[in-house]
Amino acid sequence: MNMKSSFESFLFITALVILLLLFFSNFTVVIFFLLAFFVVYRISGSNKRYILNSFIIGCIIVIGFYFYWLEFYGNEYYLGSFSDDYYYDKIWSEGFIDRYGINLFKLNEFLNGIEPDLGYLHNSKGYVAFVIILRYISSFLDGYHTMIPRIINILFLALSSYYCSKIAYHYTKKEEIRKPVFLSVFFNPVMIFNSSHVFRDTIVAFVIVYIFYLLMSNKSLIKYILVFFLIVILYYFRSAAAFTTIFVVLILSIRAKSIKKLIILSSLIFAIVVYFFLSDYVSILFQQADSYTQLNVERMGNLGSKIFSLPLIIGIVPRLIFLIFTPVPNLSSFHQFYVSISAILQVIYFPYLFWGMLKNKINPSLMFTFLLLFMGIALSTATFRHVMMYLPFGITITVISYYTGTLKFASQKYLNTILILFVVFGGSILFALNY
């Protein structure tokens, strides 16, 4: 950055720090913001000011949603009710330090005290522990505030976007591709909306992206050791994601120039690993997937319920297509409209994504990783939070496809692809409604 840019950034940061103090009266929030800012400053370098500016704008969006919930729903959490972020921030972490200090081995006992067997059944004790650690660090400063994990989420979103830009550059060697990839991932409405809450999904997405980045080239024993520890961490944040990421590691570890060979070899090795080491765990995952299907039937309204009521063998295509149009555009409230912009973007992006993969414009490992994550979410949870696991890869593929000249925007081929997508979507709806 030149001197003028640096001075402008300094003034902007100073103003934001003052706003944080005025809004939240908590120095701990400011300290965590400055630490996160420093990390982003280090990765942004001298010629990537857009990364730093994006992080600052992201923090402003976090503040906006904080007061949005407070104004319209009575507290600062998602929908103002007892959602996951409320439970992570309050029920499952508050009071732990007073009873056990930082002894996380007592987490099961603490959770069981909240609800019988919760310590055993809880599927994200890692993120609960993460929030507890933030509370512990904050106890030495000006106390804990819910803005702290939200700012950290924006940091991890910036890191995910940064490594996606490096992945895109690695496969294209086009320097100009890095900025659009970063901005497209970071400012995707679903990505930044989920990151504005006390949700685990942003960190889960970052870990998967970073593991892919580590292993896409120059593999070494040290990298595999680091990947092993990251998968262990991922297991305690979201066990199903850890299981899927093992498959991603296999994909990246196999040298295959064609997607067909890659699928065959990685699937064979994965099947052997599952049979001998993970068979019990796989049965649990299938039970979880089935429970999510039943939950989706209840919570997704008339259309979503009909699609998820279809037997899996004939419901695969409707579920895949439905996820492309998720979150369904909705004008009933600002936050629903904001999130549903992602569905509009997904439809606009789809021709580039589809033809980029079909014409082998995309590296097989990157393509297979996206398809694995996309299909895994479509056939199980299909929620707007979990799409964060595949969206960074899908967006990266889309931008690569655009920059490698797959097709022109609004061309006949582009418009025909959109038309076919809507026809298949409409056919899926009719099939589900009349099944």
Side-chain angles (χ1 to χ4, degrees):
M1 296 183 188
N2 57 41
M3 185 174 294
K4 181 181 178 181
S5 298
S6 298
F7 182 69
E8 289 175 354
S9 295
F10 173 76
L11 290 178
F12 201 33
I13 292 300
T14 302
L16 189 53
V17 166
I18 293 172
L19 285 176
L20 288 171
L21 284 173
L22 288 174
F23 286 151
F24 307 111
S25 302
N26 188 301
F27 280 102
T28 312
V29 173
V30 173
I31 291 170
F32 272 95
F33 167 76
L34 291 175
L35 288 173
F37 176 85
F38 176 76
V39 173
V40 176
Y41 178 80
R42 292 290 296 175
I43 68 170
S44 64
S46 59
N47 60 343
K48 300 180 183 65
R49 190 183 176 193
Y50 64 88
I51 298 178
L52 204 58
N53 291 341
S54 297
F55 170 75
I56 295 170
I57 294 171
C59 290
I60 293 173
I61 292 173
V62 169
I63 295 172
F65 275 113
Y66 176 94
F67 285 103
Y68 170 79
W69 296 125
L70 203 60
E71 177 69 21
F72 292 102
Y73 293 90
N75 65 38
E76 59 270 32
Y77 299 99
Y78 176 65
L79 293 179
S81 59
F82 294 166
S83 60
D84 277 1
D85 63 333
Y86 176 86
Y87 273 85
Y88 282 123
D89 209 37
K90 292 287 187 180
I91 306 298
W92 294 330
S93 63
E94 194 172 59
F96 179 89
I97 295 171
D98 293 336
R99 292 178 60 182
Y100 303 107
I102 197 60
N103 184 5
L104 296 176
F105 291 106
K106 294 289 187 178
L107 184 55
N108 280 356
E109 180 180 322
F110 178 73
L111 293 174
N112 287 336
I114 297 171
E115 184 180 329
D117 296 324
L118 181 60
Y120 171 74
L121 297 172
H122 201 288
N123 66 354
S124 188
K125 287 182 282 189
Y127 192 63
V128 175
F130 178 73
V131 176
I132 288 171
I133 291 170
L134 293 180
R135 285 183 172 276
Y136 181 74
I137 295 171
S138 301
S139 67
F140 293 99
L141 302 169
D142 196 24
Y144 177 80
H145 193 283
T146 186
M147 281 296 294
I148 294 168
R150 300 168 198 243
I151 288 173
I152 291 176
N153 272 347
I154 296 298
L155 167 62
F156 278 110
L157 177 59
L159 291 172
S160 295
S161 306
Y162 171 73
Y163 284 111
C164 281
S165 72
K166 297 196 75 171
I167 291 168
Y169 174 76
H170 173 79
Y171 288 124
T172 64
K173 299 299 184 271
K174 295 177 180 289
E175 182 63 34
E176 66 269 22
I177 206 171
R178 297 183 63 166
K179 183 176 180 178
V181 169
F182 179 94
L183 295 176
S184 298
V185 175
F186 188 90
F187 286 108
N188 180 278
V190 164
M191 298 290 290
I192 203 162
F193 178 82
N194 287 328
S195 300
S196 299
H197 299 83
V198 191
F199 292 144
R200 55 182 161 156
D201 305 274
T202 305
I203 297 178
V204 169
F206 164 73
V207 172
I208 298 173
V209 168
Y210 188 58
I211 286 175
F212 188 97
Y213 167 77
L214 284 174
L215 296 180
M216 69 180 179
S217 64
N218 300 323
K219 302 171 186 64
S220 65
L221 179 60
I222 294 177
K223 284 187 177 181
Y224 276 109
I225 292 173
L226 177 57
V227 166
F228 171 78
F229 283 109
L230 287 172
I231 290 176
V232 171
I233 292 171
L234 195 58
Y235 174 81
Y236 286 103
F237 273 68
R238 176 171 285 128
S239 57
F243 183 78
T244 306
T245 305
I246 294 173
F247 207 161
V248 172
V249 172
L250 289 174
I251 293 169
L252 290 163
S253 300
I254 295 171
R255 293 184 178 180
K257 294 183 178 180
S258 69
I259 187 70
K260 182 178 179 181
K261 183 179 179 181
L262 184 63
I263 291 173
I264 293 172
L265 289 176
S266 59
S267 298
L268 179 62
I269 296 172
F270 190 67
I272 293 171
V273 171
V274 167
Y275 181 80
F276 285 103
F277 302 104
L278 300 170
S279 56
D280 291 340
Y281 181 61
V282 170
S283 64
I284 294 173
L285 284 180
F286 276 112
Q287 291 173 10
Q288 290 179 348
D290 184 64
S291 66
Y292 270 114
T293 297
Q294 298 302 319
L295 182 60
N296 287 337
V297 170
E298 298 173 2
R299 69 182 176 181
M300 285 198 169
N302 184 55
L303 177 58
S305 298
K306 290 291 185 181
I307 288 176
F308 279 89
S309 295
L310 293 172
L312 185 59
I313 192 67
I314 61 174
I316 291 177
V317 172
R319 291 191 188 192
L320 294 176
I321 296 298
F322 181 75
L323 195 57
I324 295 173
F325 288 84
T326 302
V328 177
N330 190 324
L331 300 177
S332 62
S333 65
F334 170 76
H335 71 274
Q336 288 178 317
F337 167 73
Y338 178 82
V339 173
S340 65
I341 293 173
S342 286
I344 299 170
L345 293 174
Q346 284 161 194
V347 172
I348 294 172
Y349 290 162
F350 178 77
Y352 295 104
L353 179 71
F354 178 77
W355 288 108
M357 293 192 294
L358 198 64
K359 287 191 171 184
N360 295 321
K361 294 275 188 179
I362 308 301
N363 174 271
S365 296
L366 180 59
M367 187 195 314
F368 194 12
T369 297
F370 164 73
L371 290 173
L372 175 68
L373 295 168
F374 175 75
M375 294 184 69
I377 298 301
L379 301 179
S380 57
T381 61
T383 68
F384 78 98
R385 282 170 48 195
H386 297 172
V387 302
M388 291 186 72
M389 288 189 282
Y390 71 75
L391 268 180
F393 297 99
I395 292 170
T396 302
I397 290 172
T398 299
V399 178
I400 290 175
S401 178
Y402 176 83
Y403 273 82
T404 51
T406 301
L407 75 166
K408 293 182 179 180
F409 180 75
S411 65
Q412 191 63 50
K413 186 176 182 180
Y414 175 92
L415 295 175
N416 287 342
T417 306
I418 295 286
L419 177 62
I420 292 171
L421 176 65
F422 274 97
V423 169
V424 176
F425 181 58
S428 298
I429 293 173
L430 291 175
F431 178 75
L433 292 175
N434 292 281
Y435 178 76

